[in-house]
Amino acid sequence: SCSAGEAQTVVIGLAADSGCGKSTFMRRLTSVFGGAAEPPKGGNPDSNTLISDTTTVICLDDYHSLDRTGRKKEGVTALDPRANDFDLMFDQVKALKDGIAVEKPIYNHVSGLLDPPELIKPPKILVIEGLHPMYDSRVRDLLDFSIYLDISNEVKFAWKIQRDMAERGHSLESIKASIEARKPDFDAFIDPQKQYADAVIEVLPTQLIPGDNEGKVLRVRLIMKEGVKYFNPVYLFDEGSTISWIPCGRKLTCSYPGIKFFYGPDTYFGNEVSVLEMDGQFDRLDELIYVESHLSNISTKFYGEVTQQLLKHTDFPGSNNGTGLFQTIVGLKIRDLYEQLIASKSGTPLAATKA
Ligand code: ADP
Ligand code: G6P
């Protein structure tokens, strides 16, 4: 039977500003779980939900309590907690975690209105992605794992230009203005959530080219909290030591400005963390196998799985740099965490995955 209480929905929170790579990350995550996620069949074509065999991704914009007109009238942005219904978010995430289906509202991004709700059944893995997955402490306590995508202003700007100017015909000035207008609420309500994240992917301009802030070559840091159950941070060469590594040489082709890795312990908002950093980009993605073979605790099921995942999706943005690499690794860590959590609940011992 499928009665409430027996359900084993694992809940993952993914926080980031909009346009910061959440959907790309979700595509990498569901690929690791073995199937692409798609919009619900036969439902509202403007649904924000994605469903695969294992995973349901819901977009927290669906918990907007104020629609576009309401926000205009009240003078609040979508980032403002007053525009969002955290009571309903908590009730519904809790119900799903307890194995109970819910009628979730739909925020229609085209019309800016709230559409009639859609039925969401409890999945194996529920991902809640959006602006506020770690804002409300009740919702936060339901998360089995949380991730924050921390895109620096310079890089955010470069990505917005690429998308909004090239694809949506906005002007440079209007893009600048919209980023500036969002910033106070972003700083007040979105950014502080990173202190609660189990893993943070920080995306910064490269340090390999002095003075560069074009946002093309990236320095990406994976910040992993220590002491999180079922999550053992990845390490390079020697756990706990501090290492700087330039892998360019006989085994790896690097053109200017090269590739640089860093690994070491640090503190982040008062928590002990391990940091793995990659600056630069791969010339030849198949050579990533050389880097992969030097990483431990990456939760792969076979040798070369990280490289295989990246090669499968070379068309996704960031596949040749640390964003793609670390998103893929976090996906594998989540699969591992999921398998350990399920095994612990069912009491079945699980064969350890390969380091
Ligand atoms: P979100 O779901 O958070 O709105 P997307 O994953 O759709 O973000 O990404 C938005 C845009 O940002 C992409 O179309 C792309 O232009 C840019 N982008 C996202 N991730 C990367 C990346 N790793 N490298 C370069 N550009 C990226
Ligand atoms: C969604 C996005 C926000 C965006 C908003 C647009 O809620 O998640 O990031 O700002 O839509 O709101 P607007 O009031 O400009 O339609």
Side-chain angles (χ1 to χ4, degrees), residues 17-18 22 59 61 64 67-68 71-72 76-79 107 109 112 131 182:
D17 201 357
S18 53
K22 289 190 300 290
C59 171
D61 286 349
H64 281 334
D67 62 13
R68 194 171 290 155
R71 293 197 294 274
K72 284 239 160 68
V76 298
T77 70
L79 306 133
Y107 176 70
H109 285 95
L131 296 168
R182 281 174 83 85

Side-chain angles (χ1 to χ4, degrees), residues 18 21 84-85 165 223 233 267 354:
S18 53
N84 296 278
D85 187 344
M165 232 164 112
I223 301 164
T267 57
K354 266 185 66 185

Side-chain angles (χ1 to χ4, degrees), residues 17-24 159 162-163 218 317-318 321 323 327:
D17 201 357
S18 53
C20 285
K22 289 190 300 290
S23 26
T24 308
W159 289 0
Q162 185 184 313
R163 186 176 72 172
L218 301 175
N321 66 36
T323 60
Q327 286 176 2

Side-chain angles (χ1 to χ4, degrees), residues 49-87:
T49 304
L50 291 171
I51 298 176
S52 76
D53 287 350
T54 53
T55 312
T56 294
V57 183
I58 63 177
C59 171
L60 295 178
D61 286 349
D62 289 334
Y63 293 101
H64 281 334
S65 52
L66 295 175
D67 62 13
R68 194 171 290 155
T69 318
R71 293 197 294 274
K72 284 239 160 68
K73 206 170 130 232
E74 302 292 325
V76 298
T77 70
L79 306 133
D80 193 308
R82 287 173 294 173
N84 296 278
D85 187 344
F86 290 101
D87 292 341

